[in-house]
Amino acid sequence: MKRYLRALGMCFSMFCAIPMPFRCWEEDDRPLMTLFLPAVGLFTGGLWAAMGWGMWKLGLPGALRAAVMCAFPYLVTGFMHLDGFLDVTDAVKSWRALEKRREILKDPHVGSFAVAAAGILLILGFGAFSAMTDTPCYLGLAAVSAVSRACAGLAVTVLPPMSESQYAGGYQAGVRKGHIAYFCAAILLALMGGFLLNGWPGGIAAAAAAAGFAAALRRAFSSLKGMSGDIAGYAITVAELCGAAAYAVFGAGFAG
């Protein structure tokens, strides 16, 4: 039990920017850490939904609410997943040889493709949340965040990692067959949770997030020929945008 509690703290301290009351790290527990990714997603997604409801309750201007809701998932994760989105976009869009693409992936500098993609990402996110300015109901966003991280946990568990990835070596050695079943169950529960939280709009938003994750993962993995944390962050970012867009289309008119 102590190992799992430590892994929980490791997961929250790494993937959430909200300070933890204690810091601990044990390299042997890294394979257990990702088991708590869905919990981190549910927690951050719950804060995301609460932020939207709180701003609606305060009567803040719609454009301001949309801007804050667009920025919140990047702020609450310390821009970690957005960083992966930028790195992967630069690498994939370079259309260079595989080794060069992987070199670009690890380059700390930001290229023009990443800048352009980030601008489009923010515009689309702001547009999606602008469509929700008349609704107090954001509960489906909790399921969107949870399902995206459950998908990420499954991806880093089953897909072969790049040799330099944090999910190579000791991580792969510590993965058990039960982890795969766990992440599959977490994905199904998150999809069901979207429906339970907000009916069909919430369920559709969670499903759109899962579909967006799968499409982004396929694109990045096929281009870079291996799995990494950057690819997981890239796919999570795309998934959350897809979930928010679907929620705007199907959820705004169903709020109550």
Side-chain angles (χ1 to χ4, degrees):
M1 180 60 70
K2 185 177 179 180
R3 291 188 64 199
Y4 285 95
L5 290 175
R6 185 163 54 233
L8 173 64
M10 289 167 60
C11 191
F12 268 86
S13 63
M14 185 170 185
F15 298 110
C16 181
I18 298 174
M20 290 289 294
F22 62 92
R23 290 180 177 272
C24 58
W25 189 271
E26 184 63 50
E27 193 63 27
D28 291 342
D29 293 335
R30 184 186 287 271
L32 300 178
M33 178 182 72
T34 52
L35 295 176
F36 296 98
L37 278 172
V40 172
L42 185 62
F43 175 74
T44 57
L47 292 178
W48 200 11
M51 177 68 70
W53 180 84
M55 290 190 295
W56 173 84
K57 195 71 174 176
L58 291 171
L60 297 183
L64 177 60
R65 286 162 53 194
V68 172
M69 292 298 287
C70 179
F72 185 81
Y74 311 129
L75 294 170
V76 78
T77 56
F79 301 97
M80 173 172 282
H81 303 315
L82 182 61
D83 176 70
F85 174 84
L86 298 176
D87 290 341
V88 172
T89 299
D90 266 340
V92 171
K93 289 297 183 181
S94 70
W95 300 103
R96 307 290 288 276
L98 176 60
E99 290 307 314
K100 185 61 177 177
R101 291 197 297 271
R102 288 187 172 184
E103 183 180 327
I104 293 172
L105 181 68
K106 295 302 177 183
D107 191 331
H109 299 93
V110 178
S112 57
F113 292 116
V115 173
I120 294 171
L121 181 75
L122 294 174
I123 290 171
L124 292 175
F126 180 79
F129 286 106
S130 292
M132 302 183 205
T133 54
D134 294 330
T135 173
C137 191
Y138 296 89
L139 285 176
L141 295 176
V144 166
S145 287
V147 75
S148 65
R149 279 139 180 97
C151 288
L154 180 63
V156 300
T157 298
V158 302
L159 294 177
M162 299 180 199
S163 58
E164 64 273 19
S165 170
Q166 62 177 313
Y167 298 111
Y171 177 83
Q172 288 294 316
V175 169
R176 300 290 180 262
K177 290 182 178 179
H179 292 189
I180 299 175
Y182 167 83
F183 284 120
C184 290
I187 292 170
L188 290 175
L189 286 173
L191 292 171
M192 292 171 57
F195 178 79
L196 293 174
L197 286 170
N198 195 210
W200 285 110
I204 292 172
F213 186 97
L217 176 65
R218 182 179 183 277
R219 178 75 179 93
F221 184 82
S222 62
S223 176
L224 295 166
K225 309 301 181 186
M227 189 62 195
S228 72
D230 282 333
I231 292 177
Y234 170 80
I236 286 173
T237 302
V238 173
E240 289 188 331
L241 175 62
C242 291
Y247 199 53
V249 172
F250 296 97
F254 291 85

